[in-house]
Amino acid sequence: SVLLHMAGASPLAAAIAERARLHPKLALATTSVVPRPWLVASWNQHRKSSYLQKDCPWIRKLENLGNSKGSIIAAIENSRVEYSPLEIQEWADGYDITAVQEMDPLFRAALGERLGAQLVHGANDWDGRGIEVESTSALLLHPDSGIKPLHVEQALLQFKTRPRVTVKRDHTVVLVERLSDGRRAVFCSLHLHPPQMIDRAGVKYLHYLKPLRTAIEKIAASDLAARSKSESSLGGLGNMDCFLVGDFNLFPEEFRSRTQSSGFWKQFNVCVPDGGNTASSTNPCVVGDFAVVAGSGWHGRSLGPSGFRAFEQYAEGIAAAANGRIKLEAALDGFEQVVADCKSAVFRAEAVQRSCQSHGRSTSPHLRMALQQLRRGGRRLKEDLARTVSTNHRK
């Protein structure tokens, strides 16, 4: 998925911006009271352990090349993925808050100690096989932004796909405060399961989202109670800013239609980033990365080119490297067989030589036959290695 840039301005700031357009002089007199907008980025980065999913483009490419399932799995598992710490840190440095989906140990290491100091996340995901994977949704609160977490709630979205298989994605809902102006907001990095998967499990979509709703309501009630010094009932957001961003794995219109019967979710608006598709055509939904917001006036845009050519080139590189590895493995298997054949030929030649010497006969014809076998084996090895070299790919 592409990177998203989101900005949220308070209703006051939005009103002043409109007045600035109509009355520039008046706006100049009031700019000192405009709260600074929230700057938020979101990235559904591809964890290494998900490279074996069937909708990954390199899987299809490798299958079309005639490779077996077992060889594809082995080649992808042995592929090495590296992050550029400098690029990731430079990107994250430009935002107050960064929402990441599928954060894995490689990504966390690339952030470094400084940016990772205020990293808020839940437990590891459990994938469609019911297996725990080193990946989770996370929020990065920039250490120099003056933003601190006030209240954290977990929202574990889970359901059974088979009697003994449960898929899980743990989400962290955080109420934060910016010390420079006292402004507060609720944030969550979301990575929802595809709706078709939820439907097949016989789970109602609103029931699936219930832990998320409960977490938000608890934070809202706690904040209202703290501000008013009195108890508040659950169910309303009041004037609280709330920003849920990430990979929803469905069209924005479908999310609205699936949640429109809920009074709670009606408090939110869907914020779709400018820039077209947010995911490549091989994903379950090409526009599934967006935000659901309440309170401030939010807007966003997709970062990077919309054509996904860079990702296609990356996919081609993964496929070519994996295919080269598969061919290399085949060549090595052939080499081992040649070595075994050569050893067998040498042993037979030595046995014949000993036999001939004991009976006073010449060993030349037999040794020539053994040498011919060795030469044939050598030619086979060279052919295998030549094919492997021709499919090598430099990333």
Side-chain angles (χ1 to χ4, degrees), residues 13 17 25 101 113 144 151 185 198 213 227 252 343 393 395:
K25 292 183 179 179
Q101 298 84 53
E113 292 184 6
D144 301 331
H151 188 158
I198 300 169
R213 170 181 173 171
R227 288 174 181 269
K343 287 181 178 179
H393 177 77
K395 296 180 65 176

Side-chain angles (χ1 to χ4, degrees), residues 117-275:
Q118 286 201 106
L119 193 62
V120 185
H121 62 88
N124 283 334
D125 297 337
W126 289 68
D127 66 12
R129 303 164 297 173
I131 296 175
E132 183 178 3
V133 292
E134 288 187 306
S135 167
T136 187
S137 296
L139 283 171
L140 170 62
L141 310 181
H142 197 288
D144 301 331
S145 64
I147 295 174
K148 65 176 182 179
L150 299 179
H151 188 158
V152 177
E153 290 286 342
Q154 298 304 130
L156 181 61
L157 306 185
Q158 62 179 331
F159 55 91
K160 287 186 177 294
T161 56
R162 295 191 294 276
R164 295 185 180 181
V165 176
T166 300
V167 296
K168 304 177 186 179
R169 285 179 180 168
D170 194 20
H171 296 81
T172 304
V173 184
V174 186
L175 171 66
V176 303
E177 182 179 66
R178 190 164 54 199
L179 299 181
S180 61
D181 55 14
R183 193 174 173 195
R184 295 183 177 188
V186 175
F187 292 92
C188 182
S189 173
L190 279 184
H191 191 198
L192 303 184
H193 293 90
Q196 300 84 354
M197 188 179 185
I198 300 169
D199 294 342
R200 284 196 300 268
V203 177
K204 298 293 184 182
Y205 200 72
L206 288 176
H207 180 75
Y208 166 72
L209 293 176
K210 188 175 180 180
L212 179 61
R213 170 181 173 171
T214 300
I216 296 170
E217 288 178 334
K218 283 183 178 180
I219 286 180
S222 174
D223 184 56
L224 288 172
R227 288 174 181 269
S228 63
K229 303 300 182 182
S230 62
E231 293 298 323
S232 300
S233 60
L234 296 180
L237 295 175
N239 296 321
M240 175 175 288
D241 287 343
C242 191
F243 187 75
L244 317 176
V245 65
D247 183 8
F248 286 71
N249 267 313
L250 80 174
F251 288 89
E253 299 81 7
E254 185 179 357
F255 180 83
R256 174 55 66 208
S257 67
R258 284 175 174 264
T259 58
Q260 64 181 354
S261 63
S262 166
F264 173 81
W265 290 108
K266 281 185 177 179
Q267 299 173 91
F268 291 84
N269 295 311
V270 174
C271 177
V272 179
D274 299 331

Side-chain angles (χ1 to χ4, degrees), residues 14 31 48 89-90 154 163 173 253 283 288 340:
T31 51
K48 172 59 168 59
Q89 291 171 22
E90 184 178 1
Q154 298 304 130
V173 184
E253 299 81 7
N283 277 257

Side-chain angles (χ1 to χ4, degrees), residues 283-303:
N283 277 257
C285 182
V286 296
V287 291
D289 303 273
F290 54 91
V292 172
V293 302
S296 293
W298 295 87
H299 68 274
R301 69 178 185 271
S302 302
L303 303 180

